[in-house]
Amino acid sequence: NDMRFLMRRAEALLMLGRDETAAKSLSPAMVGGADPALRKMASDVYLSAGARRERSKDWRRAEQLLRKAIETNNQNAPALNYLGYMFGDRGDRLDEAVSLIRRALEQEPDNGAYLDSLGWVHFRRKEFDKAEASLLKALKLLENEPAVHQHLGAVYLATGRPGLAIDFLQKALNGGTDDPDGIRALLSTARKAAGKVP
């Protein structure tokens, strides 16, 4: 339909950096008092464009677009989580990262991905007890998710439990992770700490 076409066109324009033209495309969805479903669609366009920029490692642009997604719809839990996790993963603006992810969790308290994000940001803040608690909750909801295993492995390694770290990192490696090199490096460190030959 016409609105879907407008949304796709707006996302393409955002990817080209043509924000003003994109905003004009989105303006029917963005005017004050507009249909909340339209505002949500417009917000998701910014989220999608921001996620693509983040995957291209264009952090500054990704942040701009993700903030616009949240400004357009402050209930956009995936955008809140995405921006928070991006900061956390880069070790950047960690206080804001916690706040963003908590806002996402207020809407979806049983979202394992958001709990994983929160745990990882706590890890980056060296709040290892909070990190472990959040990641164990995430694990109950996402028991086969390699990222959760990897993050728990990192927590156990940092807190002097290399045996547990090895178990979780091996699960992450076996689970089809998208970061095999990072996990192998952690595994090597954990094995040395445990006194095991790599």
Side-chain angles (χ1 to χ4, degrees):
N1 73 21
D2 289 350
M3 190 50 72
R4 288 192 193 287
F5 170 77
L6 277 176
M7 297 293 167
R8 278 201 299 275
R9 180 171 181 272
E11 185 176 345
L13 288 164
L14 289 171
M15 295 309 292
L16 294 167
R18 293 169 60 191
D19 292 30
E20 285 183 24
T21 316
K24 281 176 189 157
S25 274
L26 291 171
S27 62
M30 310 267 286
V31 290
D35 177 348
L38 288 183
R39 285 186 76 79
K40 182 180 182 307
M41 281 173 78
S43 178
D44 286 345
V45 167
Y46 284 109
L47 166 59
S48 179
R52 286 168 69 179
R53 296 295 356 137
E54 186 271 338
R55 287 194 292 274
S56 304
K57 298 189 168 25
D58 183 355
W59 315 118
R60 192 184 63 79
R61 181 72 178 137
E63 181 186 341
Q64 281 177 349
L65 291 163
L66 291 166
R67 286 196 188 281
K68 192 72 181 169
I70 295 162
E71 181 189 315
T72 306
N73 169 23
N74 64 12
Q75 303 295 303
N76 190 334
L80 290 160
N81 176 68
Y82 204 118
L83 184 57
Y85 185 81
M86 185 178 92
F87 286 155
D89 205 38
R90 295 174 61 217
D92 192 20
R93 276 174 278 191
L94 296 177
D95 291 350
E96 185 181 4
V98 168
S99 165
L100 288 162
I101 297 164
R102 283 200 174 128
R103 281 170 62 193
L105 279 163
E106 278 168 20
Q107 294 169 71
E108 298 178 40
D110 294 323
N111 186 308
Y114 302 171
L115 288 163
D116 173 61
S117 295
L118 184 63
W120 191 234
V121 175
H122 281 310
F123 173 82
R124 291 295 209 173
R125 286 163 56 125
K126 298 190 168 26
E127 297 167 344
F128 298 126
D129 289 352
K130 287 181 181 177
E132 184 178 358
S134 189
L135 290 166
L136 287 172
K137 279 187 199 168
L139 185 66
K140 284 182 183 167
L141 297 158
L142 299 171
E143 58 189 43
N144 297 315
E145 173 52 56
V148 180
H149 291 128
Q150 180 178 0
H151 292 158
L152 272 166
V155 169
Y156 292 136
L157 181 58
T159 51
R161 291 173 282 175
L164 270 175
I166 291 167
D167 290 346
F168 277 91
L169 292 167
Q170 197 61 60
K171 282 180 191 167
L173 203 54
N174 297 344
T177 174
D178 57 5
D179 182 25
D181 293 341
I183 292 172
R184 285 192 191 101
L186 283 174
L187 258 173
S188 172
T189 305
R191 287 186 178 127
K192 282 177 190 147
K196 297 184 178 182
V197 177

